[in-house]
Amino acid sequence: MKDDNKERDFHHPFTPYDIQREFMGAVYSCLEDGKVGIFESPTGTGKSLSLICGSLTWLRDHKRRTFKEGFAIDAANSGEPSWVLEHAQKQRLQEALRRKQDLNDRIAKVKAKENRAKERYESGEPKYKRLKVASGDANDADDEAQFTLDDYESDEESHKRARAGTYDESGLSAETQALMASLGYSVDGPNEDEGEAPDETKIFFCSRTHSQLTQFSSELDRVKMPPAIAPDDQAGENEESLIEDVKHLTLGSRKNLCINSKVNKLGSATEINERCLELQQSSSAESRCPHMPTKETEVLVNDFRDHALAKIRDIEDLGSLGKKLGVCPYYASRPATKYCEIVTLPYPLLLQRSAREALGLSLKDQVVIIDEAHNLMDAIAGIYSVSVTLDQVQQARTQLTVYLQKFRNKLKGKNRVYVAQTIRILDSIIAYLQSIDANTKVTDGLVDMVSIMSGKGVDQINVFKLNKYLQESRLARKVDGYTAYSEQVVNCTANPATKQTHKKGPRQNVPVLMHVQAFLLSLMNPSTEGRFFYSKDEGSTTLKYMLLDPTFHFKDIVEEARAVILAGGTMSPMSDYEQHLLSYLDPSNILTLSCGHVIPPSNLLAVPVVRTSSGAEFDFTFDNRNKEKTMIDLGNAILSFVQHIPDGLVVFFPSYAYLDTCIATWKRLKLSSSRTTFWDNFTQTKPVFLEQRSQHQTSDQTSATKEAAASSVLTAYSSAIASGNGRGALLFAVIGGTLSEGINFSDALGRGVVVVGLPFPNPHSAEWKAKMQYLSAKATQNGQDGKAAAREYYENACMRAVNQCVGRAIRHKGDFAAILMLDRRYGSKRIQNKLPGWIRGSLTGGLGVRDVEGRLDGFFKGKHEERGAYTTVAQTEDAPAELTAHGKDIANEGSETTSLEAPVHIGSVPTPEDLLFLPRVSDTLPYGAFLVAIVELCERFAYYGLSGPFQNYIANTYNDANGLPGALGLKQTGATAMTNFFQFWCYLTPLFGAIVADQYLGKYATIKWFSLVYMLGIAILFVTSLPWCIERGAAFSGLVVAMVIIGIGTGGIKSNVSPLIAEQVRSTKPFVKTLRGGSRVIVDPEITVQRIYMVFYMCINFGSISAIATTMLEKHVGFWSAYLLPLVMFCVGYLVLVTGKKRYIIKPPQGGVIGNCFRALWIAARNGGNLDKAKPSANSDSINRSRIMWDDKFIDELKTALVACKVFLFFPIYWVTYSQMMNNFISQAGQMQLHGLPNDILPNIDPITIILLIPLMDRVIYPFIRTRLHLAFKPITRITLGFLMAALAMLYAGVLQSAIYAAPPCYSSPSKCDAGKLGKGKFKPNEVHVVWQTPAYILVALSEIFASVTSLELAYAKAPENMKSFIMSLLLLTNAGGSVLGILIAPLARDPYLQWLYFTLGAAAAVTGILFLRTFKGWDDGVAKVMESAQEYELAERRSADDDGYYSGDRAAGSRRV
């Protein structure tokens, strides 16, 4: 079978790892052989997808084999000729295909009906009336009558006759049962005689929560499987071309699926169940639930089924679907299960027999997969364990007494008997608990049930019949209802004015008698399975039943099912499952597998820290851990660790009490070498956060800690790490607490995990004493060492908790962390063997604290540049989203880039209502981002400072007669051509710089080395601009060489600095943040990137103001001084770049990414431009797959990048209009009255305008559009406005040029007419003031804010992670395209035709802007319009994933203006 599994195609959506293939093979073998599998696969190894692919592949193969083998058996037993058998086989195949096609046709019709409702509802009202829940307004007599118990007979047959048609154990009315039966569904279980819709083998997938099931559903949606039975005409085709959708349904409780607003608001699952059943059993039709399926609404149930199966839906989708159709999804989903291949459901619905029976689920010959099974035994024990307090029993007794006094005369026969029996049992329990409460010497112990069940006639009570009576008579609900009613009457009597306004309603808590009733049910459990205990806690005495052995309750699942798989990330140690859960099975029927991790061994440092810094042993046993010396040693160890572990460090303590004790000690004691306390040293090194149950908080809380108090400690912890520039944070948590399970401390959130001691449970507690005695006796009975078995279980319980803690770190292939376990006992092989295999493989020998310091330094050395390569925000395992991993290994591993959990903020994920109503703000910008911005400021200072004087330097002669500075005398046409060449060159070289950065050096190193090239070019320009060089003719050659070298330097900087600044921001998902004033906002990463590029662009324009200084120096000192200043400023920027290295998030180069890009494009070109053909999943040939070094997600990202490149194609037109500011506008100013100003100082109006407008746009205009107008001001809209603003600037310049030509003295020949001649070669300018140029510069500045800044955002957001610099260089290449256009139109830049040049450019920009908008309208993600309700926003968010378009049918209905 193993060899078969190696060759078998599991239809994994990506190229699976070897361990994934091994895992899928084990799943297949387990299901095929009908065994029980216990499989361990660490988080981050694609466990969910492996389970799906392995089990679904087996299921489809099994169906195919069953069909063929069934016919082969029939043929063997038949004496018919072969042609008859062949015809019969075809008929049988066609019949099977017909049944399947019928269902598929109905589903196809659902998918085809997007954006419209069914015809019967479009024409008018539905044919049935919606029922209303009774208002409850009635007279007092009727009110009291409803609380009277119905006559009850204990004889089963007469009881059924008396209650026929009104109640059934399934909780369904007779009418509903009839409907279910008509749909081919029996509430009594599956009907083997049904032939129309056979209940075929299916997979029941079970996990802890609906959130985890939702994540499973999203993974299921990725898998594409060939059909089990293919038509003959397609049988010979490639199976890859035949895809059959997976039929999936998720089941939930009434609490999850109830759509009756008056019922689901009750909150409690028990109360919702009770109220639902009450509404069904109501004798009044108008009092029943309006959503309950009836015969009249049968079509709605079928419609619900078809919609539910049309696509993969989670529990929320089913609830929304039920609301949309007006049918109860809880009951309507039941008939659909028999059409499914996979049914997902939470623990309680599968593990509890009564729940399975209520849902009508039969596990006979089915497959059961239980995920997150590490706590399976605890979950079973929790389901069947129950407790009740003395106060609850006394309250129930009081309520029942009042009820009995009121209705004594109305209770007849068995009602009177059973109520009296109930009171006697309550009295007996009260007496026992009061005796325990009076004994102050005991706190817990075993309960003597004989003493409770004897005396006062209790021993004569048939508990089974009493429990049956309590369930069927609904006594608890009657008593609770009457109690609420009597309280209302008392209140109305005391205050008559409230009588008319006070209405009855259901109780908002579970009836107290219901708690007692649940406890009485436990009295029927076999005495061998569990024990009864009492305990005193916080002044309350509790009586509880605890299930000691979950074997019997899980055994029926194992015996019914064909195969059972228990899977989890931390199943070690596995011996408990074999010895205590599955002890009745032969070992040969149990298949175990423990997979390794996908990380290389070098990414994990696992150390048992057995010695303190002083050399003494770490001993955290219960007797020793509270010693002051032990806590001092622990404080010194943690202080050492926080100084050697970067980013986040999580420390797990054995209990809340011990954590509180340690904190109190550390706040009191001072370090021997310092005057400050341990606690102060912690907070000075890293901000400290505590799991919320802890009693202490730091007295000098930081702002992040205050936010934690207002929202969530995890949100604050994540934010501190994200904004701390590598300082990280320290989190104190508790083993077995809220943070030890289900939380992902990935990447920077968990670079270190410290486990303090071993969390052994208290062996002296009554519960553990009983459990140990039970396990010992059971093992002895089976011929084993009883004490050894009990000790093994005790240790395993401890180590399961430890394994859960250490599993919080290392969440994907590129992750790395140190795991430190503090206790001498971790050095023993016995304890180490209970750790997961992937940790044992990297485990060192026992070390001391001093030794660990060196190991930590060596481990994290070389990984510094890897830090920050992943989004670092705390996340839950329940979160269904995509991983934002950016590392090389991740990018090349198919399944891991998309199949894992995505980073989200715990407790602060915005709801649809939050997304609609809360204002969106930017996150705090990190310090590193400002350093990068300063580097860019200095670079742009140099660039604009040296290029500003270029027009005069090239166009005018040395010692010009008009007093204009100059050097080369190449006239305006030559100057325009050369400046355009320089711009072209500077924006062409970023392609080379991007390739160097992305494939070889990385962004930071590329910027550093190319900066030296840049400075060399400025130095050459400075030297050749000295007067003696100009006089000797060296200026022209020096300028050309300098332009080439500076362009090369610019190419290495420009393409990398803008993505580098955006990479300093770590959070990538929106989250809700509570401000100091208590108001809540959404921190939106899109707005953060928008703001950071606003700051970035503002720094660019601060730098560009340098042209003011250089033009003044050019005029009054000389060109050499104008070029010396940029050189000095660039040296300052280089110094900031080098000295600030530790502050940056630096990502290593990925290598080969750009080559992969072009190889993928070549594959697409050979396949008619279809880029999907380049996906690994589209290449079934293993040889072709081996040549492909990317995954499917890479191709999807490349598609997005290509769309962004299409956007860039429009930008050369924009840049050629923008470039007029740098050449022709300067010459235009030379034709106007300057009043002593240099003509090339005017372009500085543009950066000054930008500096003034950017804060206004960022802080006022954009927020006003988002929060007041509720408009999504998306990138495409902003870029279009940028084009239109540029067009207006050109049109204005053309009008101004016409005005210059109309002004004296030279009119259309400025500076060339005799009328304006002042001397030899000197002319008077035309009489137009230069200030009239200002509006043109302001319009150009506005166009930059809208178009240029937004293009930077777009290039960064839409580029694949490994191609940020390359895509940015393509954007910069559009500048080069604009320069080429500028060179082509340079000959047209001459008098008297300049106004037509400007008009043409303005028209071109306007037309391009309109074409741009028409081309990309609707491309922006999100909904760029006014949202009219939270529901509408939610539906809009889902629209892309809603294949059948169901949710968009009536979006405008029922909306309200925000």
Side-chain angles (χ1 to χ4, degrees):
M1 183 63 69
K2 289 184 178 179
D3 294 337
D4 293 341
N5 288 333
K6 288 182 180 179
E7 301 299 328
R8 180 175 287 109
D9 185 2
F10 288 103
H11 310 284
H12 198 286
F14 310 104
T15 303
Y17 297 131
D18 290 339
I19 61 170
Q20 289 176 322
R21 187 170 292 279
E22 180 185 13
F23 191 94
M24 290 185 291
V27 170
Y28 193 102
S29 300
C30 180
L31 303 186
E32 180 67 19
D33 298 337
K35 295 184 177 182
V36 175
I38 307 174
F39 300 150
E40 179 181 60
S41 181
T43 301
T45 56
K47 169 169 59 69
S48 296
L49 265 179
S50 298
L51 283 171
I52 292 169
C53 294
S55 59
L56 269 181
T57 300
W58 173 85
L59 183 64
R60 294 278 170 97
D61 289 350
H62 174 72
K63 288 183 177 181
R64 190 178 304 115
R65 286 196 305 268
T66 301
F67 179 82
K68 293 179 180 179
E69 291 172 359
F71 185 82
I73 293 173
D74 292 342
N77 296 331
S78 174
E80 299 293 338
S82 59
W83 65 271
V84 174
L85 294 177
E86 183 179 354
H87 179 71
Q89 183 179 14
K90 287 184 178 181
Q91 281 190 322
R92 182 170 176 177
L93 174 62
Q94 291 173 358
E95 178 62 22
L97 291 173
R98 184 193 62 78
R99 289 198 302 265
K100 185 174 71 172
Q101 191 60 40
D102 287 345
L103 178 62
N104 290 337
D105 288 343
R106 291 196 301 269
I107 292 174
K109 288 179 181 178
V110 170
K111 291 184 176 181
K113 294 176 181 177
E114 296 181 0
N115 302 319
R116 62 187 181 90
K118 296 179 72 71
E119 291 183 4
R120 62 179 295 184
Y121 297 106
E122 288 178 344
S123 58
E125 292 291 325
K127 294 183 179 180
Y128 64 94
K129 292 184 177 180
R130 292 198 169 234
L131 304 178
K132 297 182 178 180
V133 178
S135 63
D137 294 331
N139 57 45
D140 292 346
D142 291 337
D143 283 341
E144 289 187 0
Q146 67 178 314
F147 303 120
T148 306
L149 291 170
D150 297 329
D151 290 340
Y152 184 85
E153 297 183 48
S154 58
D155 179 76
E156 191 169 341
E157 293 301 322
S158 60
H159 175 56
K160 285 185 177 179
R161 288 195 302 270
R163 299 178 60 84
T166 60
Y167 182 79
D168 185 80
E169 290 182 359
S170 65
L172 302 178
S173 65
E175 185 181 18
T176 303
Q177 292 179 50
L179 172 61
M180 296 294 146
S182 69
L183 296 173
Y185 173 79
S186 173
V187 296
D188 296 326
N191 188 347
E192 296 180 358
D193 295 333
E194 293 175 355
E196 185 176 344
D199 196 2
E200 299 178 341
T201 301
K202 59 177 62 68
I203 299 168
F204 288 92
F205 182 90
C206 175
S207 192
R208 285 185 302 140
T209 64
H210 279 294
S211 298
Q212 290 172 328
L213 295 176
T214 298
Q215 181 185 348
F216 177 85
S217 299
S218 66
E219 298 294 338
L220 182 62
D221 205 21
R222 302 178 189 274
V223 180
K224 308 300 179 185
M225 285 278 171
I229 305 173
D232 284 339
D233 57 351
Q234 296 177 349
E237 297 182 17
N238 184 2
E239 281 194 353
E240 292 293 335
S241 64
L242 296 177
I243 300 297
E244 180 182 344
D245 292 339
V246 177
K247 306 299 186 297
H248 162 266
L249 188 73
T250 186
L251 298 179
S253 63
R254 287 184 179 90
K255 183 177 181 180
N256 299 112
L257 292 174
C258 178
I259 61 174
N260 188 321
S261 60
K262 293 186 178 181
V263 177
N264 62 24
K265 70 179 181 181
L266 299 177
S268 165
T270 303
E271 190 166 4
I272 290 175
N273 289 340
E274 289 290 316
R275 184 59 180 158
C276 178
L277 295 177
E278 279 184 6
L279 291 177
Q280 290 181 54
Q281 307 311 319
S282 175
S283 58
S284 171
E286 293 187 354
S287 299
R288 295 178 188 169
C289 178
H291 308 295
M292 191 64 201
T294 63
K295 191 66 177 176
E296 291 180 338
T297 59
E298 179 178 343
V299 66
L300 289 179
V301 177
N302 291 331
D303 209 10
F304 179 92
R305 174 198 62 201
D306 295 341
H307 277 87
L309 298 179
K311 58 174 293 223
I312 305 297
R313 298 181 187 271
D314 59 25
I315 196 72
E316 293 182 358
D317 293 330
L318 288 184
S320 300
L321 180 60
K323 287 181 181 178
K324 205 74 174 177
L325 294 176
V327 66
C328 175
Y330 175 73
Y331 286 113
S333 60
R334 296 186 186 186
T337 57
K338 64 182 176 183
Y339 298 97
C340 295
E341 292 177 292
I342 291 187
V343 177
T344 54
L345 66 171
Y347 273 4
L349 298 186
L350 179 78
L351 299 179
Q352 201 165 6
R353 176 183 284 275
S354 60
R356 296 198 304 272
E357 291 174 349
L359 291 173
L361 297 181
S362 172
L363 302 182
K364 183 67 175 175
D365 296 328
Q366 309 294 343
V367 171
V368 175
I369 299 178
I370 301 178
D371 197 14
E372 299 298 327
H374 59 271
N375 56 2
L376 176 62
M377 290 186 287
D378 294 335
I380 297 174
I383 289 173
Y384 290 96
S385 298
V386 66
S387 64
V388 65
T389 65
L390 174 59
D391 292 338
Q392 288 175 331
V393 181
Q394 289 176 328
Q395 185 179 355
R397 174 66 168 85
T398 301
Q399 291 181 0
L400 195 55
T401 302
V402 172
Y403 180 84
L404 188 59
Q405 290 174 350
K406 178 65 178 178
F407 297 100
R408 181 184 301 274
N409 296 328
K410 296 182 180 181
L411 296 181
K412 300 177 182 179
K414 295 297 182 180
N415 277 329
R416 184 186 295 269
V417 173
Y418 284 124
V419 171
Q421 289 180 358
T422 305
I423 291 177
R424 283 203 297 273
I425 287 184
L426 294 180
D427 288 340
S428 182
I429 294 175
I430 290 171
Y432 180 80
L433 290 180
Q434 285 177 338
S435 66
I436 296 298
D437 193 46
N439 187 351
T440 58
K441 295 181 179 180
V442 296
T443 57
D444 63 355
L446 281 172
V447 172
D448 181 12
M449 290 306 296
V450 176
S451 61
I452 291 182
M453 299 304 295
S454 62
K456 297 185 179 180
V458 177
D459 56 341
Q460 303 297 320
I461 296 175
N462 186 325
V463 179
F464 176 80
K465 285 189 175 183
L466 177 59
N467 271 307
K468 184 178 179 182
Y469 168 79
L470 292 175
Q471 291 181 43
E472 295 181 355
S473 67
R474 312 178 65 76
L475 177 64
R477 180 61 63 183
K478 298 283 188 180
V479 171
D480 182 71
Y482 177 72
T483 301
Y485 169 74
S486 60
E487 290 174 357
Q488 173 193 331
V489 171
V490 172
N491 292 334
C492 291
T493 303
N495 187 5
T498 64
K499 186 171 184 178
Q500 298 300 323
T501 60
H502 188 83
K503 294 185 178 181
K504 292 193 291 76
R507 300 276 280 179
Q508 296 301 310
N509 58 342
V510 179
V512 67
L513 190 56
M514 193 71 70
H515 290 288
V516 180
Q517 179 179 321
F519 180 78
L520 295 180
L521 282 172
S522 65
L523 296 176
M524 296 187 298
N525 292 332
S527 59
T528 56
E529 293 183 12
R531 296 287 188 274
F532 290 89
F533 303 91
Y534 65 82
S535 65
K536 295 179 181 179
D537 185 21
E538 299 179 356
S540 176
T541 303
T542 303
L543 183 64
K544 50 188 171 182
Y545 170 81
M546 186 175 74
L547 183 70
L548 297 179
D549 191 351
T551 303
F552 304 104
H553 293 281
F554 193 64
K555 185 177 182 180
D556 57 348
I557 294 178
V558 175
E559 291 181 341
E560 285 185 37
R562 171 192 175 93
V564 176
I565 290 179
L566 311 181
T570 52
M571 298 295 288
S572 298
M574 295 185 180
S575 58
D576 279 355
Y577 304 98
E578 301 177 30
Q579 297 174 8
H580 303 293
L581 188 65
L582 306 168
S583 57
Y584 52 89
L585 289 179
D586 188 278
S588 62
N589 289 328
I590 301 177
L591 181 63
T592 61
L593 173 68
S594 180
C595 293
H597 213 298
V598 293
I599 61 168
S602 59
N603 279 22
L604 172 63
L605 176 65
V607 182
V609 185
V610 299
R611 294 185 301 277
T612 67
S613 55
S614 62
E617 284 191 330
F618 266 128
D619 185 2
F620 288 99
T621 57
F622 188 78
D623 295 332
N624 194 64
R625 70 187 187 189
N626 287 314
K627 294 179 180 178
E628 191 170 277
K629 183 180 184 307
T630 302
M631 289 184 279
I632 291 175
D633 288 337
L634 176 59
N636 283 321
I638 294 176
L639 189 58
S640 171
F641 298 154
V642 298
Q643 293 169 349
H644 292 82
I645 296 177
D647 298 320
L649 174 63
V650 186
V651 182
F652 287 100
F653 288 76
S655 68
Y656 287 103
Y658 189 58
L659 172 58
D660 292 334
T661 301
C662 288
I663 293 176
T665 303
W666 292 334
K667 287 185 175 181
R668 176 173 52 86
L669 297 179
K670 296 182 179 179
L671 283 167
S672 57
S673 59
S674 174
R675 295 183 178 180
T676 57
T677 64
F678 280 94
W679 187 257
D680 291 338
N681 276 273
F682 291 153
T683 57
Q684 290 169 11
T685 308
K686 293 180 185 287
V688 180
F689 300 89
L690 308 177
E691 191 166 334
Q692 291 179 341
R693 183 174 167 179
S694 180
Q695 298 172 358
H696 297 270
Q697 279 291 348
T698 174
S699 57
D700 53 343
Q701 291 176 319
T702 62
S703 60
T705 310
K706 293 177 181 178
E707 290 177 12
S711 57
S712 163
V713 64
L714 281 170
T715 303
Y717 174 71
S718 302
S719 300
I721 293 174
S723 60
N725 298 298
R727 185 187 179 201
L730 177 61
L731 176 61
F732 289 145
V734 174
I735 302 172
T738 56
L739 303 183
S740 66
E741 184 175 349
I743 309 298
N744 288 357
F745 292 108
S746 61
D747 303 302
L749 295 176
R751 291 298 179 212
V753 174
V754 177
V755 182
V756 179
L758 288 161
F760 285 107
N762 181 8
H764 303 295
S765 67
E767 290 91 339
W768 269 99
K769 279 183 179 179
K771 186 173 290 188
M772 300 285 278
Q773 290 172 2
Y774 174 81
L775 294 173
S776 179
K778 184 179 179 181
T780 303
Q781 186 179 358
N782 295 331
Q784 302 172 359
D785 186 343
K787 290 185 178 180
R791 183 180 68 173
E792 179 78 6
Y793 184 86
Y794 184 64
E795 290 180 352
N796 289 350
C798 166
M799 291 307 296
R800 271 199 302 273
V802 171
N803 293 341
Q804 277 298 302
C805 294
V806 298
R808 297 310 93 213
I810 309 289
R811 310 304 291 188
H812 53 78
K813 185 179 173 82
D815 207 352
F816 57 92
I819 296 175
L820 310 177
M821 295 163 284
L822 274 63
D823 199 303
R824 60 177 175 78
R825 293 170 287 182
Y826 283 114
S828 69
K829 289 295 182 183
R830 181 181 182 86
I831 295 298
Q832 290 180 3
N833 288 338
K834 298 180 187 297
L835 291 168
W838 65 276
I839 292 181
R840 290 200 305 271
S842 300
L843 200 63
T844 68
L847 300 177
V849 173
R850 297 301 181 198
D851 302 322
V852 173
E853 292 176 357
R855 292 292 185 99
L856 290 173
D857 291 339
F859 176 72
F860 288 107
K861 184 179 181 180
K863 290 187 171 61
H864 175 75
E865 291 195 354
E866 297 177 35
R867 288 166 50 201
Y870 296 85
T871 305
T872 53
V873 185
Q875 64 188 71
T876 63
E877 292 177 352
D878 300 345
E882 295 182 355
L883 178 72
T884 55
H886 312 323
K888 173 183 176 182
D889 294 331
I890 297 299
N892 292 331
E893 298 295 344
S895 63
E896 296 309 306
T897 56
T898 55
S899 65
L900 306 179
E901 302 86 357
V904 297
H905 288 257
I906 289 198
S908 56
V909 177
T911 64
E913 291 78 10
D914 292 337
L915 291 170
L916 179 62
F917 295 115
L918 294 186
R920 295 170 181 259
V921 300
S922 166
D923 201 355
T924 303
L925 300 186
Y927 186 65
F930 289 103
L931 289 181
V932 177
I934 291 173
V935 171
E936 176 66 0
L937 186 153
C938 295
E939 188 274 333
R940 291 290 91 182
F941 185 99
Y943 178 84
Y944 285 106
L946 61 89
S947 60
F950 271 177
Q951 188 77 6
N952 284 340
Y953 188 75
I954 300 170
N956 303 326
T957 59
Y958 191 59
N959 296 322
D960 184 80
N962 289 315
L964 296 175
L968 302 182
L970 298 180
K971 306 300 181 182
Q972 180 177 348
T973 302
T976 301
M978 286 197 71
T979 54
N980 278 314
F981 163 76
F982 180 62
Q983 287 185 19
F984 167 78
W985 176 243
C986 286
Y987 289 110
L988 177 65
T989 53
L991 276 175
F992 171 69
I995 294 173
V996 171
D998 282 342
Q999 299 207 192
Y1000 302 105
L1001 298 182
K1003 298 180 185 66
Y1004 173 81
T1006 303
I1007 294 172
K1008 183 174 70 173
W1009 294 113
F1010 275 72
S1011 293
L1012 296 175
V1013 176
Y1014 199 120
M1015 287 189 285
L1016 174 63
I1018 303 177
I1020 292 174
L1021 182 61
F1022 159 67
V1023 172
T1024 56
S1025 65
L1026 292 169
W1028 64 271
C1029 288
I1030 296 175
E1031 293 169 356
R1032 287 166 176 75
F1036 179 77
S1037 58
L1039 175 66
V1040 173
V1041 172
M1043 280 183 168
V1044 172
I1045 295 177
I1046 291 171
I1048 294 173
T1050 301
I1053 298 172
K1054 193 66 182 173
S1055 61
N1056 294 299
V1057 70
S1058 53
L1060 180 64
I1061 193 172
E1063 286 174 356
Q1064 307 309 303
V1065 179
R1066 300 194 182 195
S1067 59
T1068 62
K1069 297 291 181 182
F1071 63 95
V1072 177
K1073 177 180 179 181
T1074 304
L1075 304 178
R1076 293 185 180 182
S1079 59
R1080 298 169 69 241
V1081 295
I1082 293 177
V1083 178
D1084 191 335
E1086 181 181 336
I1087 296 175
T1088 304
V1089 173
Q1090 179 179 310
R1091 171 163 294 177
I1092 206 169
Y1093 276 121
M1094 283 285 195
V1095 173
F1096 178 73
Y1097 211 76
M1098 189 165 64
C1099 288
I1100 289 176
N1101 285 277
F1102 265 119
S1104 66
I1105 298 178
S1106 62
I1108 297 177
T1110 55
T1111 51
M1112 295 301 291
L1113 287 171
E1114 140 203 349
K1115 181 176 178 65
H1116 299 290
V1117 180
F1119 285 104
W1120 64 270
S1121 60
Y1123 297 141
L1124 177 61
L1125 180 62
L1127 179 61
V1128 173
M1129 194 64 181
F1130 198 97
C1131 291
V1132 174
Y1134 187 78
L1135 184 65
V1136 173
L1137 176 72
V1138 174
T1139 57
K1141 179 180 179 181
K1142 294 183 178 179
R1143 296 283 189 175
Y1144 305 139
I1145 296 174
I1146 301 175
K1147 299 182 181 180
Q1150 307 306 314
V1153 176
I1154 296 173
N1156 288 342
C1157 172
F1158 285 108
R1159 280 192 288 273
L1161 293 175
W1162 172 246
I1163 293 174
R1166 289 186 302 168
N1167 289 275
N1170 186 0
L1171 201 54
D1172 287 331
K1173 294 294 185 181
K1175 290 184 176 181
S1177 60
N1179 290 268
S1180 57
D1181 187 356
S1182 59
I1183 297 177
N1184 289 337
R1185 282 195 178 190
S1186 65
R1187 295 174 180 173
I1188 294 177
M1189 304 302 293
W1190 56 81
D1191 57 18
D1192 286 3
K1193 184 183 178 184
F1194 176 81
I1195 300 300
D1196 292 333
E1197 290 178 335
L1198 183 57
K1199 286 182 181 179
T1200 305
L1202 289 177
V1203 176
C1205 292
K1206 292 179 184 177
V1207 173
F1208 301 160
L1209 291 176
F1210 289 81
F1211 268 80
I1213 298 297
Y1214 172 79
W1215 290 120
V1216 74
T1217 58
Y1218 167 84
S1219 65
Q1220 302 308 302
M1221 179 184 70
M1222 304 300 296
N1223 41 56
N1224 287 326
F1225 277 20
I1226 295 174
S1227 298
Q1228 186 185 63
Q1231 300 172 353
M1232 305 170 72
Q1233 294 177 339
L1234 295 173
H1235 299 281
L1237 292 174
N1239 66 322
D1240 50 4
I1241 201 172
L1242 269 298
N1244 292 287
I1245 296 174
D1246 172 79
I1248 292 173
T1249 303
I1250 290 175
I1251 292 170
L1252 294 176
L1253 286 183
I1254 278 183
L1256 181 66
M1257 300 293 291
D1258 182 44
R1259 300 288 182 174
V1260 180
I1261 304 298
Y1262 285 169
F1264 177 80
I1265 293 173
R1266 287 192 302 266
T1267 60
R1268 300 296 182 185
L1269 301 181
H1270 298 282
L1271 292 175
F1273 200 38
K1274 290 294 183 176
I1276 298 303
T1277 307
R1278 282 182 272 153
I1279 291 174
T1280 302
L1281 281 177
F1283 274 94
L1284 297 180
M1285 289 293 176
L1288 288 176
M1290 292 301 102
L1291 293 177
Y1292 180 86
V1295 172
L1296 181 61
Q1297 189 66 49
S1298 299
I1300 294 172
Y1301 287 158
C1306 291
Y1307 297 100
S1308 60
S1309 301
S1311 302
K1312 294 178 183 177
C1313 66
D1314 293 337
K1317 191 172 184 179
L1318 300 177
K1320 185 178 180 180
K1322 188 174 183 179
F1323 295 89
K1324 180 181 178 181
N1326 285 10
E1327 296 177 1
V1328 179
H1329 200 292
V1330 74
V1331 74
W1332 287 105
Q1333 266 199 328
T1334 302
Y1337 287 110
I1338 293 175
L1339 288 170
V1340 170
L1342 281 171
S1343 75
E1344 284 186 78
I1345 292 174
F1346 288 126
S1348 182
V1349 176
T1350 307
S1351 68
L1352 294 175
E1353 298 174 31
L1354 202 65
Y1356 181 81
K1358 301 302 180 183
E1361 187 56 40
N1362 303 326
M1363 296 175 60
K1364 296 290 188 188
S1365 295
F1366 184 69
I1367 298 300
M1368 192 64 69
S1369 70
L1370 294 180
L1371 172 62
L1372 298 175
L1373 187 62
T1374 62
N1375 283 266
S1379 299
V1380 170
L1381 293 177
I1383 294 172
L1384 295 177
I1385 65 173
L1388 303 178
R1390 56 192 178 88
D1391 298 319
Y1393 309 111
L1394 281 170
Q1395 77 270 36
W1396 299 112
L1397 172 65
Y1398 293 133
F1399 288 147
T1400 302
L1401 289 174
V1407 171
T1408 304
I1410 294 171
L1411 290 176
F1412 177 84
L1413 181 62
R1414 291 177 62 88
T1415 303
F1416 297 103
K1417 185 178 181 181
W1419 180 62
D1420 286 328
D1421 51 347
V1423 184
K1425 68 180 189 68
V1426 177
M1427 292 299 176
E1428 300 197 353
S1429 70
Q1431 180 184 11
E1432 183 181 357
Y1433 193 101
E1434 182 179 16
L1435 297 182
E1437 289 291 311
R1438 293 187 177 189
R1439 195 177 357 167
S1440 62
D1442 187 17
D1443 293 336
D1444 62 5
Y1446 185 84
Y1447 296 101
S1448 54
D1450 56 349
R1451 291 168 53 85
S1455 60
R1456 58 185 176 85
R1457 180 68 58 187
V1458 175

